Amino acid sequence: MKRFWRYLLKKDLGARWLEGFRYAVFGLGDSGYQKYNFAAKKIDRRILQLGAEPIVEIGLGDDQHPSGYEGALDPWLLSLWKSLNQANPSLLPRISDIINPNLNNLGDAKIDVIYYSSDDAPQDSIVSDSKKLIERARSISPALKFHKDGEPQYMLKMVTNQRLTNEGSDRDVRHFELEDPSSAISYQVGDALEILPSQNPSAVNAFIERCNLDPDCYITIRAKGGDQGSKGSTVNGLTDRIKLKTFVALAMDVASASPRRYFFEVMSYFATAEHEKERLQYFASPEGRDDLYQYNQKESRTVLEVLEEFPSVRMPFEWLVQLTPPLKKRAFSISSSPLTHQNRIHLTVSIVSWLTPFKRTRHGLCSTWLAGLSPNEEILIPCWIHKGSLPPPHPSVPLVLIGPGTGCAPFRAFIEERAAQSVTELTAHVLFFFGCRNEDSDFLYKDFWLNHAQDKGVLSLKEGGGFFVAFSRDQPQKVYVQHKIKEQSERVWNMLCSGAAVYVAGSSTKMPADVTAALEEVVREKGGEAASGWLRKLERAGKFNIETW
Amino acid sequence: MAAAALAVTDELALPLRAVGDLAAAAGISREEVVVITQCATLGGKLPFDDASVGAVLSVIKKAESFGDQLVAEVSRVLKAGGIVLVQSFTPSSEQKPNNYIERQLLMGGFVEVQTSATSSQDSVQSVTIKAKKPSWSMGSSFPLKKATKALPKIQIDDDDELIDEDSLLTAEDLKKPQLPVVGDCEVGAAKKACKNCTCGRAEAEQKVEKLELTAEQINNPVSSCGSCGLGDAFRCSTCPYRGLAPFKLGEKVSLSDNFLSADI
């Protein structure tokens, strides 16, 4: 996408480059953010500038709208269909169905599921090789195949599982250390580790039972009408088939992610109890959108819960495969440097749990699973390295790092690395701004930062560094990292003038905006009005990096 | 009186060749040189206006002739930035005269004092010392550069090739949209808490309705609407059983832990 957008920005394309090209844009945005729907607006303007013709006005979905993005999507879609129909009626032969949906007419699923008897089951070692099973499941899943994940790069063992916040804190943040027993792990600071979590086996079993599936049969999945060769072919050996239970466990998220509105619509076709059918049709309709939002999204309803609450629904497996949210990998910033820990990866993970409006406790699938792993258990964690989430800094570049809470993870890696480098070469200064709620309860890695801030450490004053902490709840007024930044505006200014790169990481949506505003204030105060656009330029030059989750 | 160059010597007679050499060294044609001899006997002033002469070429036999008064006069008549060339002849045994002349020039306020290579002629060494009158005049001033740092200029590699994407947005775009005003009493209305709410709104939204379940309602659930047992999908917004799993009417309801612990 980056390359696509960069190409569109080229000056030499001219105002006629997209002449004759017709397009429509719908943006999925959230007006809670500063940059509300900027991507959609920019793309729309630029494509227009290049000579293209919009067939409908831009649609701007807003999560803050009472009905979420669908509030804007429904009318936009209607105008889209009408416009397309006007331009070329043969495009939409069933337009009347769209304008007046008749919920009694469901077409076919987009995929076929092919079942094999146990005679056709693969007997080779692939069955027990978890890496290969993961690859296979994810390459036949219609939602995941185009991600081309491949096999996990590493199957890691957890060797350390340590709680960083003290027992009194309502936040449970863990320090994990993962190791590959057989080989070295190749990674860089700034990389993230993508983990595929395991689902609770009883949830997977409950799902299979509820849907009347045979867990032990072998299946494969083909796109309908695709050119995938003849069905049931053994051309590839038996490498395209997998046990149904394994496929569900590895590729279908049954007990964590929420289904979407269309899932409810399709359910309504397969409901035999009248009150269930009605209710599902209501949820799928524009009138029921708000109630669906309350019941489903706000409650974080899982696929299994929804199916159990509508017991008369008998959805064929094809539809379940197509509509169940795929099991997603979760990415975590790596908090160690390969220079200091050659064979290990450290992670700093906040265990996610929350209370829904109806007072149900929900837990994050991956963080909870990791928290429950004992060190040196035989359970292996499927991992991929996601390179360069934050571009690693060269040792000669001064750094201003801002990472409250778990945002400190990648910067622990940066600082470890710079400390190791400073032994053999000249390294530039580092300023680190950290923030947490209370010094006593969630001051993550306190000893680590303080060690590096003493004597001739990378964060010590002697070495031109700095370590500043904001404890937000230790006093009546809130003190956050942005306040610390303004307190240290002289030092921050000096760093910026010496060519520092700025990195911001953390888990809040407001923090980056607040930090950016504080930096802009520093720049304006010390550098004059003319300096306002400077931070934006720094961002475009790749020296102002923000990563939030 | 003004001149392109002034040649001054303490000797009575000055060969043209000497003048010519110095003039060439100063980059001036010798036709333009005015010669004054016996400068030591002048009794003070050179007959020239202030800052009227581009270059002074002096040929000095006796180093002492290049005294303070002469040096001051040379400085006076020279234009700002003008050069002075002093050629002196010393018997090869002596070193001192050069140093003397250099020092005189320095003390006289000349800059860029340079002594060039010597040349010998008839066992007599000649040295040419070049100096310059500073290009600022007396009484001029200029402000010192402030010691403030400046932000480094940022090199964005393809700045030239690409348009500035921020220019695609108008002032209108930067405004937030007008959201429909909905009664804020119910959860799910109007402004919703962000997904990663940290300000407390999410918690406040959760606290909107707190419904008490009596022991009777737990042990023997009845439902006038008939929907309570079916599950959250069917329950009314005011249903006391909201949040619980589906149950059969008349059978004891199983509670999740949350309902038994106090709300914070």
Side-chain angles (χ1 to χ4, degrees):
Chain A
M1 188 66 184
K2 268 191 179 163
R3 281 216 300 238
F4 166 70
W5 180 233
R6 259 186 53 137
Y7 195 92
L8 283 186
L9 288 175
K10 281 166 58 130
K11 280 182 183 160
D12 59 4
L13 294 175
R16 299 184 53 183
W17 187 64
L18 287 179
E19 213 169 41
F21 178 74
R22 287 144 89 210
Y23 75 99
V25 176
F26 188 83
L28 297 166
D30 184 333
S31 60
Y33 287 79
Q34 264 321 78
K35 299 188 178 183
Y36 169 61
N37 258 319
F38 272 21
K41 289 174 181 171
K42 285 181 180 179
I43 267 201
D44 179 60
R45 286 300 149 61
R46 183 57 180 158
I47 295 185
L48 192 65
Q49 260 180 14
L50 293 170
E53 186 197 320
I55 55 173
V56 282
E57 248 192 55
I58 184 176
L60 297 174
D62 183 1
D63 275 349
Q64 290 298 331
H65 190 277
S67 326
Y69 69 82
E70 291 192 359
L73 184 61
D74 289 345
W76 183 84
L77 272 181
L78 273 181
S79 66
L80 177 74
W81 303 139
K82 289 206 176 107
S83 166
L84 282 175
N85 195 43
Q86 248 172 11
N88 185 356
S90 62
L91 278 174
L92 299 167
R94 288 166 55 192
I95 183 96
S96 47
D97 285 347
I98 300 170
I99 311 281
N100 298 309
N102 176 0
L103 290 172
N104 290 319
N105 247 335
L106 180 70
D108 290 329
K110 292 186 193 158
I111 48 136
D112 284 324
V113 178
I114 297 140
Y115 297 86
Y116 300 97
S117 70
S118 46
D119 302 329
D120 279 335
Q123 298 296 330
D124 49 0
S125 58
I126 288 170
V127 172
S128 50
D129 185 336
S130 17
K131 276 189 177 184
K132 293 209 163 68
L133 285 178
I134 291 172
E135 181 190 12
R136 189 173 300 180
R138 296 176 86 73
S139 62
I140 63 177
S141 154
L144 294 169
K145 65 203 302 181
F146 298 110
H147 292 203
K148 293 207 163 75
D149 289 331
E151 275 185 18
Q153 288 170 322
Y154 302 100
M155 298 294 286
L156 299 180
K157 210 162 70 145
M158 178 166 302
V159 290
T160 303
N161 176 347
Q162 185 196 9
R163 185 169 167 145
L164 292 173
T165 53
N166 73 15
E167 294 302 322
S169 171
D170 55 349
R171 286 244 185 95
D172 181 353
V173 181
R174 301 287 176 100
H175 174 78
F176 295 128
E177 294 188 17
L178 275 47
E179 194 174 81
D180 185 337
S182 54
S183 68
I185 314 177
S186 159
Y187 71 96
Q188 259 189 319
V189 295
D191 288 349
L193 189 70
E194 290 178 332
I195 295 180
L196 183 70
S198 278
Q199 302 194 72
N200 186 338
S202 51
V204 174
N205 289 337
F207 174 82
I208 289 173
E209 241 188 76
R210 164 68 184 82
C211 299
N212 292 100
L213 303 169
D214 174 8
D216 298 313
C217 71
Y218 283 81
I219 56 161
T220 193
I221 298 172
R222 297 267 156 83
K224 254 208 176 63
D227 51 351
Q228 312 248 328
S230 50
K231 293 182 184 180
S233 98
T234 51
V235 164
N236 295 324
L238 301 168
T239 55
D240 59 343
R241 56 207 66 178
I242 191 172
K243 232 188 200 182
L244 184 142
K245 175 172 174 176
T246 312
F247 178 76
V248 172
L250 295 177
M252 294 171 67
D253 189 331
V254 302
S256 174
S258 294
R260 291 150 76 166
R261 188 193 64 129
Y262 190 50
F263 190 88
F264 290 83
E265 187 174 322
V266 171
M267 274 181 86
S268 71
Y269 292 110
F270 295 108
T272 51
E274 198 51 45
H275 71 283
E276 287 182 19
K277 194 183 186 76
E278 254 180 45
R279 194 66 180 166
L280 289 165
Q281 286 177 339
Y282 170 66
F283 275 153
S285 70
E287 300 81 48
R289 193 196 297 134
D290 277 346
D291 283 339
L292 177 64
Y293 183 80
Q294 222 181 358
Y295 167 71
N296 185 40
Q297 284 98 302
K298 294 225 66 179
E299 283 299 307
S300 308
R301 266 327 136 169
T302 69
V303 167
L304 184 57
E305 283 177 333
V306 174
L307 287 173
E308 284 179 342
E309 215 144 89
F310 292 90
S312 82
V313 172
R314 298 182 143 269
M315 204 189 281
F317 191 50
E318 288 78 19
W319 284 106
L320 287 168
V321 170
Q322 184 181 323
L323 297 178
T324 303
L327 185 64
K328 293 203 166 128
K329 300 180 281 177
R330 270 78 162 165
F332 300 95
S333 285
I334 295 179
S335 54
S336 56
S337 160
L339 296 184
T340 341
H341 306 275
Q342 266 177 343
N343 243 14
R344 290 200 183 176
I345 285 188
H346 294 187
L347 298 179
T348 310
V349 178
S350 176
I351 311 305
V352 179
S353 91
W354 71 98
L355 208 55
T356 67
F358 293 2
K359 306 276 190 290
R360 295 154 6 111
T361 314
R362 302 273 93 176
H363 299 283
L365 174 64
C366 190
S367 56
T368 308
W369 174 64
L370 287 173
L373 295 178
S374 323
N376 301 310
E377 240 182 281
E378 276 320 301
I379 295 181
L380 293 179
I381 303 166
C383 299
W384 290 255
I385 302 277
H386 179 79
K387 300 210 72 55
S389 323
L390 284 174
H394 191 270
S396 63
V397 176
L399 298 175
V400 177
L401 309 173
I402 301 146
T406 47
C408 68
F411 303 142
R412 180 172 179 274
F414 280 14
I415 287 167
E416 252 191 14
E417 174 130 309
R418 197 152 274 199
Q421 287 166 337
S422 66
V423 172
T424 51
E425 57 185 302
L426 212 57
T427 55
H429 307 319
V430 180
L431 293 188
F432 176 47
F433 291 88
F434 178 67
C436 63
R437 287 183 181 167
N438 304 102
E439 180 167 5
D440 292 329
S441 72
D442 62 343
F443 191 172
L444 309 174
Y445 299 120
K446 169 177 181 174
D447 292 331
F448 177 84
W449 312 123
L450 292 180
N451 275 336
H452 285 282
Q454 281 171 354
D455 305 321
K456 304 199 88 195
V458 174
L459 296 176
S460 66
L461 195 55
K462 272 209 196 114
E463 290 298 310
F467 172 57
F468 313 100
V469 200
F471 301 110
S472 62
R473 297 187 188 183
D474 271 351
Q475 60 284 310
Q477 76 278 18
K478 292 267 185 286
V479 177
Y480 294 125
V481 278
Q482 53 266 30
H483 302 126
K484 288 291 174 189
I485 290 173
K486 284 194 268 201
E487 250 177 50
Q488 300 293 330
S489 49
E490 189 68 37
R491 295 212 59 195
V492 172
W493 172 247
N494 288 339
M495 290 291 272
L496 291 177
C497 289
S498 65
V502 182
Y503 289 81
V504 182
S507 70
S508 150
T509 56
K510 281 232 75 196
M511 186 270 298
D514 289 339
V515 165
T516 306
L519 290 169
E520 271 178 1
E521 249 189 71
V522 169
V523 168
R524 234 176 300 129
E525 188 199 327
K526 302 277 188 187
E529 238 352 276
S532 308
W534 188 79
L535 265 183
R536 178 80 186 105
K537 270 185 144 184
L538 197 65
E539 188 181 351
R540 285 169 59 194
K543 287 180 85 173
F544 181 26
N545 297 284
I546 301 182
E547 173 153 281
T548 47
W549 45 81
Chain B
M1 194 152 110
L6 166 65
V8 102
T9 178
D10 54 352
E11 297 245 66
L12 178 56
L14 184 65
L16 260 183
R17 180 183 41 78
V19 175
D21 289 344
L22 275 181
I28 295 169
S29 90
R30 67 175 184 192
E31 274 80 52
E32 306 200 10
V33 182
V34 172
V35 183
I36 293 181
T37 63
Q38 293 179 294
C39 60
T41 60
L42 274 179
K45 311 278 262 171
L46 290 171
F48 283 92
D49 298 329
D50 291 0
S52 57
V53 174
V56 169
L57 319 166
S58 57
V59 181
I60 300 291
K61 178 95 186 282
K62 296 201 191 106
E64 310 86 76
S65 318
F66 208 66
D68 296 343
Q69 200 168 42
L70 179 59
V71 174
E73 275 299 288
V74 168
S75 183
R76 179 185 67 80
V77 306
L78 261 182
K79 289 183 186 161
I83 53 171
V84 54
L85 278 150
V86 183
Q87 190 176 56
S88 86
F89 297 92
T90 52
S92 33
S93 53
E94 286 179 40
Q95 261 296 321
K96 271 209 209 146
N98 306 337
N99 298 344
Y100 175 73
I101 292 174
E102 277 171 15
R103 209 171 333 122
Q104 284 295 94
L105 286 170
L106 268 175
M107 300 296 273
F110 288 90
V111 295
E112 294 176 33
V113 179
Q114 287 165 343
T115 306
S116 64
T118 62
S119 57
S120 281
Q121 228 177 355
D122 316 320
S123 81
V124 173
Q125 280 192 333
S126 81
V127 175
T128 308
I129 303 163
K130 184 174 171 185
K132 192 170 161 190
K133 181 171 172 178
S135 46
W136 59 79
S137 44
M138 283 247 266
S140 66
S141 70
F142 50 87
L144 286 174
K145 273 214 174 99
K146 272 190 267 196
T148 50
K149 300 183 188 216
L151 286 170
K153 249 199 109 48
I154 300 181
Q155 202 53 25
I156 304 177
D157 290 327
D158 17 65
D159 223 357
D160 307 322
E161 292 174 16
L162 308 178
I163 65 160
D164 177 8
E165 63 179 81
D166 294 323
S167 66
L168 293 169
L169 300 171
T170 65
E172 200 49 45
D173 291 318
L174 303 177
K175 294 193 200 149
K176 299 252 176 109
Q178 285 288 66
L179 288 171
V181 177
V182 181
D184 220 339
C185 329
E186 295 178 55
V187 167
K191 196 129 182 40
K192 299 189 170 73
C194 321
K195 288 190 180 79
N196 300 321
C197 176
T198 51
C199 75
R201 185 178 181 104
E203 283 144 24
E205 282 183 1
Q206 286 168 13
K207 288 203 173 91
V208 166
E209 278 153 53
K210 189 187 179 293
L211 301 159
E212 309 270 346
L213 274 178
T214 66
E216 183 56 32
Q217 282 177 307
I218 296 171
N219 289 321
N220 188 17
V222 293
S223 164
S224 50
C225 66
S227 304
C228 305
L230 296 175
D232 281 340
F234 301 93
R235 291 176 183 136
C236 327
S237 53
T238 50
C239 183
Y241 298 101
R242 204 159 73 156
L244 296 178
F247 57 82
K248 295 215 171 61
L249 293 179
E251 281 179 13
K252 182 168 176 164
V253 179
S254 63
L255 298 172
S256 65
D257 290 330
N258 298 313
F259 284 80
L260 302 174
S261 56
D263 283 318
I264 298 162

